[in-house]
Amino acid sequence: MNTTHVDRLVGSRLKSIRGVRNLSLSELAQSAMLSVEDYVDAEAGARRFRAAELFRIAKKLDISMADILEVLDGSSRAVVDDVR
């Protein structure tokens, strides 16, 4: 699967939230039911997070999925380009 600019934006957003919440990679990887390696790849945009993984991460962070995806609001052009 090819990853896109959107995947990198979502991963960057999660990394930022994780840092603010002072959570480790392994804590979020475990909550997403991913290996640390897969989580690191997804956070870096090299692997796409699945919806169920994002849901479990949001639950761990006590935020909504919309809070995670709000980073895309300012990048609507990137989203449209990635769909093409």
Side-chain angles (χ1 to χ4, degrees):
M1 170 187 331
N2 292 331
T3 58
T4 65
H5 180 64
V6 170
D7 299 308
R8 289 185 294 278
L9 287 172
V10 170
S12 178
R13 173 77 173 143
L14 285 173
K15 184 176 183 177
S16 175
I17 295 169
R18 181 174 57 78
V20 169
R21 298 288 175 92
N22 201 30
L23 294 169
S24 69
L25 287 166
S26 61
E27 287 176 289
L28 281 188
Q30 184 178 13
S31 71
M33 299 175 65
L34 291 170
S35 69
V36 173
E37 182 178 303
D38 282 343
Y39 183 86
V40 168
D41 286 348
E43 201 175 77
R47 176 197 178 277
R48 184 168 291 156
F49 280 107
R50 294 182 176 104
E53 294 163 352
L54 288 175
F55 179 79
R56 290 189 291 267
I57 291 167
K59 192 171 181 175
K60 171 73 176 176
L61 295 170
D62 195 28
I63 60 175
S64 70
M65 287 182 61
D67 292 328
I68 295 171
L69 300 176
E70 75 179 10
V71 69
L72 302 179
D73 287 345
S75 298
S76 58
R77 176 83 179 144
V79 174
V80 170
D81 288 345
D82 285 343
V83 172
R84 291 185 186 152

